Amino acid sequence: MTVPSPHTDPRGFLRALYDAAVARALPAENTAAFLPPPPRGRTLVLGAGKAGGAMAAAVDALWPKEAPLSGLVVTRYDHVPPAYQSRPGRIDVVEAAHPVPDEAGRRAAQRIAELTRGLTADDLVLCLISGGGSALLAMPAPGLTLEDKQAINKALLTSGAAIDEMNCVRKHLSAIKGGRLAAMCAPAKVVTLLISDVPGDAPEIIASGPTMPDSTTCADALRILQRYGIAIPEAARRGLESGEFETPKPGDARFAGHQVHMIATPQQSLEAAAALARAAGIAAHILSDEVEGESRDVGKVHAALARAVARRGEPFAKPCVILSGGETTVTVKAKGGRGGRATEFLMGCAIALQGEPGVYVLAGDTDGIDGVEDNAGAIVTPDTLARARALGLKAQEFLDRNDAYNFFAPLADLVVPGPTFTNVNDFRAVLVV
């Protein structure tokens, strides 16, 4: 592919890097090598996540036409690939809400649980799991309602809790996550294909690990809820305190013989973007695929690094691009603002850069959706703040009310690719020329 010049078209160059990162994580490119042979019995496909529709389409296309195949996968609204939607295959794909679960997600989880009944040792269950599956598989623990789960989920999303903390709570308040789905499938063999959206690629954290034994405990979940001041109904407290809501643990015999394959990771996508940059003659440096922390603060740190490169050629010589991934967090302090992790990162970055010449930054979520908006992220340029001032927009005021979307939209700086049908989480690229 022809890559736009970073010197004459820095925006186009950064967008090409983002597109390369996304392409590397597409299920169609990564599934074939990990599919097992058909079993003696039947093959049941179950799954959940933002990449669920694309993963189902890939399995349907690759699985032998003469071999039995059926199942159900739930994905986010508008995240079924158009070709599969217009011509469905052997795997049913349904849609539900993310990041706050809804009734469609509850019905999908119930149907998935029902499909596990009657499985035998001759059967194979292919589980297709990707980020977002935690909200999409909405089966509340006994005594809890969907409304209970929705309220707790909303509180977690605005608390500033890290993804592993959120998913610890979600597992213990669920009847299907935290290894419970795999337990339902016994005695069938379970093969899980994962697309990682979490720092460290821990299988038990991705989508709250529906097929993974869980090393966290009810006590851990209680501590997290207390740490962030999140109120829970009495039924939830009773289930956690008594241990009734405990998850299956490592060593549980029901996981014996199961296989887990990571088919796409954040690091692989960063490496794909770095390779494209180097092919264009630009040095590329990957900081980490595990960056966490408050989004605006992570933006300040990236800005400080970019200034050091721009002004002193340290720690990297320019021109170069600095890449990072992971999952930052946003602690929502004001109601009514619009935006997600990527745009909040960029607000912090832009304010710290103060128009530093030669520095351009793109940040976006690889699923194409930043939070609940229609954009993946946005782009910061050396004249971002100046153009904003000309429109009467004060950057710090927008940041204070968590309203990054409405800051970048009038500047025409939003990145809007639409759903990408995959998800390896945050992508950040800082270009210094």
mmCIF file of all heavy atoms in Angstrom, residues 311-357:
data_model
loop_
_atom_site.group_PDB
_atom_site.id
_atom_site.type_symbol
_atom_site.label_atom_id
_atom_site.label_comp_id
_atom_site.label_asym_id
_atom_site.label_seq_id
_atom_site.Cartn_x
_atom_site.Cartn_y
_atom_site.Cartn_z
ATOM 1 N N ARG A 311 12.719 18.885 20.845
ATOM 2 C CA ARG A 311 13.641 19.959 21.225
ATOM 3 C C ARG A 311 15.088 19.501 21.390
ATOM 4 O O ARG A 311 16.014 20.253 21.100
ATOM 5 C CB ARG A 311 13.165 20.590 22.533
ATOM 6 C CG ARG A 311 11.808 21.266 22.427
ATOM 7 C CD ARG A 311 11.350 21.803 23.779
ATOM 8 N NE ARG A 311 10.008 22.392 23.709
ATOM 9 C CZ ARG A 311 9.384 22.944 24.735
ATOM 10 N NH1 ARG A 311 9.972 22.983 25.937
ATOM 11 N NH2 ARG A 311 8.173 23.455 24.576
ATOM 12 N N ARG A 312 15.288 18.251 21.865
ATOM 13 C CA ARG A 312 16.649 17.811 22.183
ATOM 14 C C ARG A 312 17.073 16.545 21.468
ATOM 15 O O ARG A 312 18.210 16.105 21.612
ATOM 16 C CB ARG A 312 16.770 17.585 23.691
ATOM 17 C CG ARG A 312 16.520 18.836 24.525
ATOM 18 C CD ARG A 312 16.911 18.605 25.971
ATOM 19 N NE ARG A 312 16.129 17.530 26.584
ATOM 20 C CZ ARG A 312 14.920 17.709 27.133
ATOM 21 N NH1 ARG A 312 14.367 18.910 27.133
ATOM 22 N NH2 ARG A 312 14.277 16.696 27.681
ATOM 23 N N GLY A 313 16.146 15.937 20.722
ATOM 24 C CA GLY A 313 16.490 14.682 20.053
ATOM 25 C C GLY A 313 16.721 13.556 21.034
ATOM 26 O O GLY A 313 17.461 12.617 20.755
ATOM 27 N N GLU A 314 16.072 13.628 22.185
ATOM 28 C CA GLU A 314 16.220 12.593 23.212
ATOM 29 C C GLU A 314 14.833 12.169 23.726
ATOM 30 O O GLU A 314 13.951 13.034 23.860
ATOM 31 C CB GLU A 314 17.041 13.124 24.403
ATOM 32 C CG GLU A 314 18.464 13.467 24.065
ATOM 33 C CD GLU A 314 19.201 14.069 25.260
ATOM 34 O OE1 GLU A 314 18.511 14.428 26.253
ATOM 35 O OE2 GLU A 314 20.429 14.174 25.212
ATOM 36 N N PRO A 315 14.616 10.915 24.035
ATOM 37 C CA PRO A 315 15.546 9.790 23.906
ATOM 38 C C PRO A 315 15.614 9.214 22.491
ATOM 39 O O PRO A 315 16.336 8.260 22.254
ATOM 40 C CB PRO A 315 14.967 8.758 24.883
ATOM 41 C CG PRO A 315 13.490 9.005 24.815
ATOM 42 C CD PRO A 315 13.348 10.492 24.661
ATOM 43 N N PHE A 316 14.833 9.790 21.569
ATOM 44 C CA PHE A 316 14.839 9.324 20.184
ATOM 45 C C PHE A 316 15.156 10.485 19.257
ATOM 46 O O PHE A 316 14.788 11.622 19.526
ATOM 47 C CB PHE A 316 13.469 8.735 19.799
ATOM 48 C CG PHE A 316 12.917 7.735 20.754
ATOM 49 C CD1 PHE A 316 11.663 7.926 21.341
ATOM 50 C CD2 PHE A 316 13.634 6.595 21.092
ATOM 51 C CE1 PHE A 316 11.136 7.012 22.230
ATOM 52 C CE2 PHE A 316 13.113 5.659 21.983
ATOM 53 C CZ PHE A 316 11.869 5.875 22.561
ATOM 54 N N ALA A 317 15.826 10.169 18.163
ATOM 55 C CA ALA A 317 16.096 11.191 17.142
ATOM 56 C C ALA A 317 14.865 11.349 16.256
ATOM 57 O O ALA A 317 14.140 10.394 15.999
ATOM 58 C CB ALA A 317 17.303 10.780 16.301
ATOM 59 N N LYS A 318 14.605 12.564 15.816
ATOM 60 C CA LYS A 318 13.511 12.783 14.879
ATOM 61 C C LYS A 318 14.059 12.763 13.455
ATOM 62 O O LYS A 318 15.252 13.008 13.266
ATOM 63 C CB LYS A 318 12.786 14.097 15.193
ATOM 64 C CG LYS A 318 13.660 15.344 15.070
ATOM 65 C CD LYS A 318 12.846 16.597 15.380
ATOM 66 C CE LYS A 318 13.694 17.853 15.193
ATOM 67 N NZ LYS A 318 12.941 19.079 15.494
ATOM 68 N N PRO A 319 13.224 12.451 12.477
ATOM 69 C CA PRO A 319 11.796 12.140 12.589
ATOM 70 C C PRO A 319 11.565 10.737 13.134
ATOM 71 O O PRO A 319 12.340 9.813 12.870
ATOM 72 C CB PRO A 319 11.310 12.257 11.140
ATOM 73 C CG PRO A 319 12.502 11.846 10.323
ATOM 74 C CD PRO A 319 13.688 12.397 11.071
ATOM 75 N N CYS A 320 10.505 10.587 13.879
ATOM 76 C CA CYS A 320 10.157 9.275 14.414
ATOM 77 C C CYS A 320 8.686 9.256 14.795
ATOM 78 O O CYS A 320 8.031 10.300 14.867
ATOM 79 C CB CYS A 320 11.024 8.924 15.628
ATOM 80 S SG CYS A 320 10.658 9.881 17.111
ATOM 81 N N VAL A 321 8.199 8.060 15.022
ATOM 82 C CA VAL A 321 6.851 7.897 15.545
ATOM 83 C C VAL A 321 6.944 7.032 16.793
ATOM 84 O O VAL A 321 7.688 6.049 16.841
ATOM 85 C CB VAL A 321 5.892 7.290 14.497
ATOM 86 C CG1 VAL A 321 6.280 5.872 14.123
ATOM 87 C CG2 VAL A 321 4.449 7.332 14.990
ATOM 88 N N ILE A 322 6.217 7.437 17.826
ATOM 89 C CA ILE A 322 6.213 6.747 19.110
ATOM 90 C C ILE A 322 4.837 6.120 19.279
ATOM 91 O O ILE A 322 3.814 6.815 19.201
ATOM 92 C CB ILE A 322 6.517 7.725 20.256
ATOM 93 C CG1 ILE A 322 7.858 8.414 20.013
ATOM 94 C CG2 ILE A 322 6.497 7.016 21.602
ATOM 95 C CD1 ILE A 322 8.053 9.680 20.837
ATOM 96 N N LEU A 323 4.801 4.809 19.504
ATOM 97 C CA LEU A 323 3.553 4.060 19.551
ATOM 98 C C LEU A 323 3.301 3.498 20.946
ATOM 99 O O LEU A 323 4.243 3.117 21.642
ATOM 100 C CB LEU A 323 3.587 2.908 18.547
ATOM 101 C CG LEU A 323 3.873 3.282 17.092
ATOM 102 C CD1 LEU A 323 4.144 2.029 16.273
ATOM 103 C CD2 LEU A 323 2.700 4.058 16.500
ATOM 104 N N SER A 324 2.046 3.431 21.326
ATOM 105 C CA SER A 324 1.702 2.768 22.587
ATOM 106 C C SER A 324 0.285 2.228 22.515
ATOM 107 O O SER A 324 -0.538 2.663 21.715
ATOM 108 C CB SER A 324 1.847 3.720 23.779
ATOM 109 O OG SER A 324 0.814 4.692 23.808
ATOM 110 N N GLY A 325 0.010 1.248 23.371
ATOM 111 C CA GLY A 325 -1.317 0.664 23.475
ATOM 112 C C GLY A 325 -1.643 0.404 24.928
ATOM 113 O O GLY A 325 -0.933 0.850 25.832
ATOM 114 N N GLY A 326 -2.699 -0.339 25.179
ATOM 115 C CA GLY A 326 -3.132 -0.612 26.541
ATOM 116 C C GLY A 326 -4.552 -0.148 26.739
ATOM 117 O O GLY A 326 -5.336 -0.046 25.795
ATOM 118 N N GLU A 327 -4.899 0.149 27.976
ATOM 119 C CA GLU A 327 -6.250 0.643 28.258
ATOM 120 C C GLU A 327 -6.192 1.648 29.399
ATOM 121 O O GLU A 327 -6.023 1.285 30.556
ATOM 122 C CB GLU A 327 -7.209 -0.498 28.629
ATOM 123 C CG GLU A 327 -8.613 0.012 28.888
ATOM 124 C CD GLU A 327 -9.666 -1.083 28.890
ATOM 125 O OE1 GLU A 327 -9.319 -2.254 28.688
ATOM 126 O OE2 GLU A 327 -10.857 -0.752 29.087
ATOM 127 N N THR A 328 -6.341 2.914 29.039
ATOM 128 C CA THR A 328 -6.384 3.961 30.053
ATOM 129 C C THR A 328 -7.804 4.070 30.611
ATOM 130 O O THR A 328 -8.716 3.382 30.163
ATOM 131 C CB THR A 328 -5.934 5.305 29.470
ATOM 132 O OG1 THR A 328 -6.797 5.662 28.380
ATOM 133 C CG2 THR A 328 -4.496 5.233 28.972
ATOM 134 N N THR A 329 -7.972 4.933 31.594
ATOM 135 C CA THR A 329 -9.277 5.081 32.223
ATOM 136 C C THR A 329 -9.658 6.558 32.300
ATOM 137 O O THR A 329 -8.798 7.440 32.258
ATOM 138 C CB THR A 329 -9.282 4.500 33.647
ATOM 139 O OG1 THR A 329 -8.205 5.081 34.389
ATOM 140 C CG2 THR A 329 -9.110 3.002 33.628
ATOM 141 N N VAL A 330 -10.952 6.794 32.400
ATOM 142 C CA VAL A 330 -11.482 8.145 32.574
ATOM 143 C C VAL A 330 -12.327 8.170 33.837
ATOM 144 O O VAL A 330 -13.291 7.405 33.953
ATOM 145 C CB VAL A 330 -12.337 8.588 31.369
ATOM 146 C CG1 VAL A 330 -12.986 9.944 31.648
ATOM 147 C CG2 VAL A 330 -11.486 8.661 30.106
ATOM 148 N N THR A 331 -11.949 9.021 34.765
ATOM 149 C CA THR A 331 -12.785 9.246 35.939
ATOM 150 C C THR A 331 -13.718 10.408 35.614
ATOM 151 O O THR A 331 -13.273 11.549 35.476
ATOM 152 C CB THR A 331 -11.934 9.580 37.177
ATOM 153 O OG1 THR A 331 -11.022 8.508 37.413
ATOM 154 C CG2 THR A 331 -12.816 9.767 38.404
ATOM 155 N N VAL A 332 -14.999 10.102 35.440
ATOM 156 C CA VAL A 332 -15.967 11.118 35.024
ATOM 157 C C VAL A 332 -16.331 11.990 36.228
ATOM 158 O O VAL A 332 -16.827 11.500 37.233
ATOM 159 C CB VAL A 332 -17.222 10.464 34.426
ATOM 160 C CG1 VAL A 332 -18.245 11.530 34.049
ATOM 161 C CG2 VAL A 332 -16.847 9.632 33.197
ATOM 162 N N LYS A 333 -16.064 13.280 36.084
ATOM 163 C CA LYS A 333 -16.311 14.221 37.179
ATOM 164 C C LYS A 333 -17.471 15.170 36.894
ATOM 165 O O LYS A 333 -17.870 15.941 37.764
ATOM 166 C CB LYS A 333 -15.042 15.024 37.455
ATOM 167 C CG LYS A 333 -13.861 14.148 37.884
ATOM 168 C CD LYS A 333 -12.614 14.962 38.133
ATOM 169 C CE LYS A 333 -11.464 14.071 38.568
ATOM 170 N NZ LYS A 333 -10.217 14.827 38.801
ATOM 171 N N ALA A 334 -17.967 15.143 35.666
ATOM 172 C CA ALA A 334 -19.069 16.043 35.303
ATOM 173 C C ALA A 334 -20.045 15.302 34.406
ATOM 174 O O ALA A 334 -19.642 14.514 33.560
ATOM 175 C CB ALA A 334 -18.535 17.280 34.587
ATOM 176 N N LYS A 335 -21.329 15.554 34.587
ATOM 177 C CA LYS A 335 -22.345 14.920 33.767
ATOM 178 C C LYS A 335 -22.580 15.722 32.491
ATOM 179 O O LYS A 335 -22.419 16.941 32.476
ATOM 180 C CB LYS A 335 -23.660 14.798 34.549
ATOM 181 C CG LYS A 335 -23.583 13.847 35.735
ATOM 182 C CD LYS A 335 -24.926 13.714 36.427
ATOM 183 C CE LYS A 335 -24.856 12.734 37.588
ATOM 184 N NZ LYS A 335 -26.164 12.586 38.279
ATOM 185 N N GLY A 336 -22.922 15.003 31.437
ATOM 186 C CA GLY A 336 -23.294 15.673 30.196
ATOM 187 C C GLY A 336 -22.192 15.771 29.166
ATOM 188 O O GLY A 336 -22.448 16.114 28.020
ATOM 189 N N GLY A 337 -20.948 15.490 29.557
ATOM 190 C CA GLY A 337 -19.855 15.540 28.598
ATOM 191 C C GLY A 337 -19.872 14.340 27.672
ATOM 192 O O GLY A 337 -20.442 13.289 27.988
ATOM 193 N N ARG A 338 -19.246 14.491 26.504
ATOM 194 C CA ARG A 338 -19.158 13.405 25.530
ATOM 195 C C ARG A 338 -17.688 13.108 25.250
ATOM 196 O O ARG A 338 -16.859 14.007 25.192
ATOM 197 C CB ARG A 338 -19.865 13.775 24.224
ATOM 198 C CG ARG A 338 -21.345 14.026 24.359
ATOM 199 C CD ARG A 338 -21.938 14.409 23.014
ATOM 200 N NE ARG A 338 -21.821 13.323 22.028
ATOM 201 C CZ ARG A 338 -22.084 13.453 20.733
ATOM 202 N NH1 ARG A 338 -22.461 14.647 20.267
ATOM 203 N NH2 ARG A 338 -21.974 12.433 19.907
ATOM 204 N N GLY A 339 -17.407 11.834 25.060
ATOM 205 C CA GLY A 339 -16.026 11.454 24.755
ATOM 206 C C GLY A 339 -15.664 10.144 25.415
ATOM 207 O O GLY A 339 -16.439 9.592 26.208
ATOM 208 N N GLY A 340 -14.474 9.669 25.099
ATOM 209 C CA GLY A 340 -13.982 8.418 25.662
ATOM 210 C C GLY A 340 -12.521 8.546 26.019
ATOM 211 O O GLY A 340 -11.967 9.647 26.101
ATOM 212 N N ARG A 341 -11.879 7.383 26.210
ATOM 213 C CA ARG A 341 -10.481 7.375 26.643
ATOM 214 C C ARG A 341 -9.559 8.069 25.647
ATOM 215 O O ARG A 341 -8.656 8.815 26.020
ATOM 216 C CB ARG A 341 -10.003 5.930 26.829
ATOM 217 C CG ARG A 341 -10.729 5.156 27.894
ATOM 218 C CD ARG A 341 -10.038 3.830 28.158
ATOM 219 N NE ARG A 341 -9.808 3.055 26.956
ATOM 220 C CZ ARG A 341 -10.625 2.122 26.491
ATOM 221 N NH1 ARG A 341 -11.765 1.873 27.134
ATOM 222 N NH2 ARG A 341 -10.340 1.427 25.411
ATOM 223 N N ALA A 342 -9.774 7.808 24.349
ATOM 224 C CA ALA A 342 -8.851 8.326 23.336
ATOM 225 C C ALA A 342 -8.889 9.844 23.259
ATOM 226 O O ALA A 342 -7.843 10.513 23.247
ATOM 227 C CB ALA A 342 -9.168 7.715 21.970
ATOM 228 N N THR A 343 -10.090 10.410 23.204
ATOM 229 C CA THR A 343 -10.176 11.863 23.075
ATOM 230 C C THR A 343 -9.773 12.568 24.370
ATOM 231 O O THR A 343 -9.219 13.670 24.329
ATOM 232 C CB THR A 343 -11.590 12.297 22.643
ATOM 233 O OG1 THR A 343 -12.565 11.601 23.417
ATOM 234 C CG2 THR A 343 -11.810 12.021 21.166
ATOM 235 N N GLU A 344 -10.025 11.947 25.511
ATOM 236 C CA GLU A 344 -9.578 12.550 26.770
ATOM 237 C C GLU A 344 -8.049 12.533 26.852
ATOM 238 O O GLU A 344 -7.419 13.491 27.308
ATOM 239 C CB GLU A 344 -10.187 11.826 27.969
ATOM 240 C CG GLU A 344 -9.764 12.408 29.292
ATOM 241 C CD GLU A 344 -10.920 12.852 30.187
ATOM 242 O OE1 GLU A 344 -12.055 13.008 29.700
ATOM 243 O OE2 GLU A 344 -10.668 13.066 31.371
ATOM 244 N N PHE A 345 -7.436 11.440 26.397
ATOM 245 C CA PHE A 345 -5.974 11.379 26.286
ATOM 246 C C PHE A 345 -5.461 12.534 25.432
ATOM 247 O O PHE A 345 -4.496 13.227 25.785
ATOM 248 C CB PHE A 345 -5.560 10.037 25.674
ATOM 249 C CG PHE A 345 -4.163 10.003 25.122
ATOM 250 C CD1 PHE A 345 -3.083 9.655 25.925
ATOM 251 C CD2 PHE A 345 -3.915 10.330 23.787
ATOM 252 C CE1 PHE A 345 -1.790 9.630 25.409
ATOM 253 C CE2 PHE A 345 -2.635 10.306 23.263
ATOM 254 C CZ PHE A 345 -1.564 9.960 24.080
ATOM 255 N N LEU A 346 -6.111 12.750 24.298
ATOM 256 C CA LEU A 346 -5.663 13.790 23.369
ATOM 257 C C LEU A 346 -5.837 15.188 23.941
ATOM 258 O O LEU A 346 -5.032 16.083 23.661
ATOM 259 C CB LEU A 346 -6.410 13.654 22.043
ATOM 260 C CG LEU A 346 -6.014 12.432 21.206
ATOM 261 C CD1 LEU A 346 -7.025 12.182 20.101
ATOM 262 C CD2 LEU A 346 -4.615 12.600 20.618
ATOM 263 N N MET A 347 -6.868 15.402 24.738
ATOM 264 C CA MET A 347 -7.040 16.702 25.387
ATOM 265 C C MET A 347 -5.866 16.981 26.323
ATOM 266 O O MET A 347 -5.271 18.070 26.305
ATOM 267 C CB MET A 347 -8.345 16.725 26.175
ATOM 268 C CG MET A 347 -9.596 16.732 25.335
ATOM 269 S SD MET A 347 -9.856 18.287 24.457
ATOM 270 C CE MET A 347 -10.125 19.415 25.808
ATOM 271 N N GLY A 348 -5.542 15.994 27.165
ATOM 272 C CA GLY A 348 -4.401 16.157 28.057
ATOM 273 C C GLY A 348 -3.117 16.379 27.296
ATOM 274 O O GLY A 348 -2.275 17.202 27.686
ATOM 275 N N CYS A 349 -2.963 15.662 26.194
ATOM 276 C CA CYS A 349 -1.760 15.770 25.372
ATOM 277 C C CYS A 349 -1.663 17.145 24.706
ATOM 278 O O CYS A 349 -0.615 17.798 24.737
ATOM 279 C CB CYS A 349 -1.780 14.664 24.323
ATOM 280 S SG CYS A 349 -0.235 14.435 23.431
ATOM 281 N N ALA A 350 -2.765 17.608 24.119
ATOM 282 C CA ALA A 350 -2.763 18.896 23.406
ATOM 283 C C ALA A 350 -2.461 20.054 24.350
ATOM 284 O O ALA A 350 -1.678 20.958 24.019
ATOM 285 C CB ALA A 350 -4.106 19.111 22.717
ATOM 286 N N ILE A 351 -3.085 20.032 25.525
ATOM 287 C CA ILE A 351 -2.857 21.115 26.484
ATOM 288 C C ILE A 351 -1.402 21.128 26.946
ATOM 289 O O ILE A 351 -0.790 22.192 27.084
ATOM 290 C CB ILE A 351 -3.829 20.975 27.674
ATOM 291 C CG1 ILE A 351 -5.261 21.234 27.208
ATOM 292 C CG2 ILE A 351 -3.451 21.930 28.800
ATOM 293 C CD1 ILE A 351 -6.318 20.888 28.240
ATOM 294 N N ALA A 352 -0.825 19.959 27.148
ATOM 295 C CA ALA A 352 0.571 19.885 27.582
ATOM 296 C C ALA A 352 1.536 20.273 26.463
ATOM 297 O O ALA A 352 2.579 20.880 26.709
ATOM 298 C CB ALA A 352 0.882 18.481 28.082
ATOM 299 N N LEU A 353 1.194 19.945 25.219
ATOM 300 C CA LEU A 353 2.083 20.271 24.093
ATOM 301 C C LEU A 353 2.126 21.767 23.805
ATOM 302 O O LEU A 353 3.154 22.294 23.352
ATOM 303 C CB LEU A 353 1.621 19.534 22.835
ATOM 304 C CG LEU A 353 1.985 18.054 22.727
ATOM 305 C CD1 LEU A 353 1.272 17.416 21.549
ATOM 306 C CD2 LEU A 353 3.500 17.870 22.595
ATOM 307 N N GLN A 354 1.000 22.460 24.019
ATOM 308 C CA GLN A 354 0.933 23.902 23.770
ATOM 309 C C GLN A 354 1.439 24.280 22.380
ATOM 310 O O GLN A 354 2.201 25.228 22.192
ATOM 311 C CB GLN A 354 1.718 24.664 24.851
ATOM 312 C CG GLN A 354 0.999 24.728 26.188
ATOM 313 C CD GLN A 354 -0.319 25.495 26.103
ATOM 314 O OE1 GLN A 354 -0.356 26.646 25.650
ATOM 315 N NE2 GLN A 354 -1.403 24.856 26.529
ATOM 316 N N GLY A 355 0.998 23.492 21.383
ATOM 317 C CA GLY A 355 1.324 23.818 19.994
ATOM 318 C C GLY A 355 2.755 23.532 19.596
ATOM 319 O O GLY A 355 3.271 24.173 18.664
ATOM 320 N N GLU A 356 3.403 22.596 20.241
ATOM 321 C CA GLU A 356 4.797 22.253 19.914
ATOM 322 C C GLU A 356 4.928 21.990 18.412
ATOM 323 O O GLU A 356 4.250 21.125 17.857
ATOM 324 C CB GLU A 356 5.238 21.014 20.688
ATOM 325 C CG GLU A 356 6.690 20.637 20.494
ATOM 326 C CD GLU A 356 7.648 21.636 21.127
ATOM 327 O OE1 GLU A 356 7.333 22.170 22.215
ATOM 328 O OE2 GLU A 356 8.726 21.872 20.525
ATOM 329 N N PRO A 357 5.810 22.729 17.718
ATOM 330 C CA PRO A 357 5.967 22.537 16.270
ATOM 331 C C PRO A 357 6.419 21.124 15.923
ATOM 332 O O PRO A 357 7.247 20.535 16.632
ATOM 333 C CB PRO A 357 7.043 23.564 15.892
ATOM 334 C CG PRO A 357 6.987 24.594 16.977
ATOM 335 C CD PRO A 357 6.648 23.837 18.228
#
